[in-house]
Amino acid sequence: MSKDIIVITGGPGTGKTTIIEGLIEKGYTCFPEISREIINEARKQGIEQLFLENPLLFSELLLEGRKKQYTAALEHPNPILFLDRGIPDILAYMHYIGDSYPSFFEEECRSNTYTKVFLLPPWEEIYKCDEERYENFEQAKLIFNHLKETYQSFGYKLIEVPKDTLDNRILFILEAISK
């Protein structure tokens, strides 16, 4: 049986989590974004913003979590699985802050590949800051560009999800995966 492991990505505040929640409501298997878990765990240890204070450690923790999600998706009985962000997102954020990283990050991007990648564009009307999202809208646009460049550098043909209602965005994604 073929397996479709599909990434939904985009800069902060573009509606990824809302789309993932909508797909779950429709009965699809989805793996959530794990960066918030890492951020909240670091806060319990007294580190207010781990990504800003120790980006490499944060990225290593993300890499481990996303590799586990990928393995879990491969082993899952459902043929279609959605991930809220993929491994290349880690590199895109490192590029965004101008940090370097060990070569094993790129090796993991090459060995853990996705069937399709949906990219959500910056959308100022729905953008909101919160406890874990420290970026402003201008920064969100820069992150979007880094995401696009990073995924394309690994050979992905990105499918940009139009700005529309939640139902129409989900329908767009479902129609695109059935092609």
Side-chain angles (χ1 to χ4, degrees), residues 2 18-19 24-25 27 38 41 79 83 95 97 114 141 164:
S2 71
T18 304
I19 289 173
I24 290 170
E25 285 178 20
I38 294 168
E41 188 57 40
L83 303 176
H95 296 160
I97 64 168
Y114 307 103
K141 290 193 296 189
D164 205 335

Side-chain angles (χ1 to χ4, degrees), residues 91-149:
L91 276 63
Y93 271 80
M94 294 296 275
H95 296 160
Y96 163 69
I97 64 168
D99 246 1
S100 59
Y101 46 83
S103 62
F104 66 80
F105 279 91
E106 290 183 357
E107 292 162 20
E108 293 297 342
C109 288
R110 283 190 283 277
S111 60
N112 298 275
T113 58
Y114 307 103
T115 312
K116 291 190 186 296
V117 178
F118 289 92
L119 181 64
L120 280 64
W123 190 357
E124 195 162 16
E125 290 75 20
I126 68 168
Y127 183 84
K128 287 184 258 186
C129 287
D130 63 22
E131 286 286 312
E132 291 86 21
R133 184 181 299 137
Y134 64 88
E135 304 94 345
N136 64 36
F137 185 70
E138 291 304 312
Q139 292 168 317
K141 290 193 296 189
L142 292 173
I143 291 167
F144 168 83
N145 292 333
H146 283 287
L147 287 164
K148 190 173 186 176
E149 290 169 11

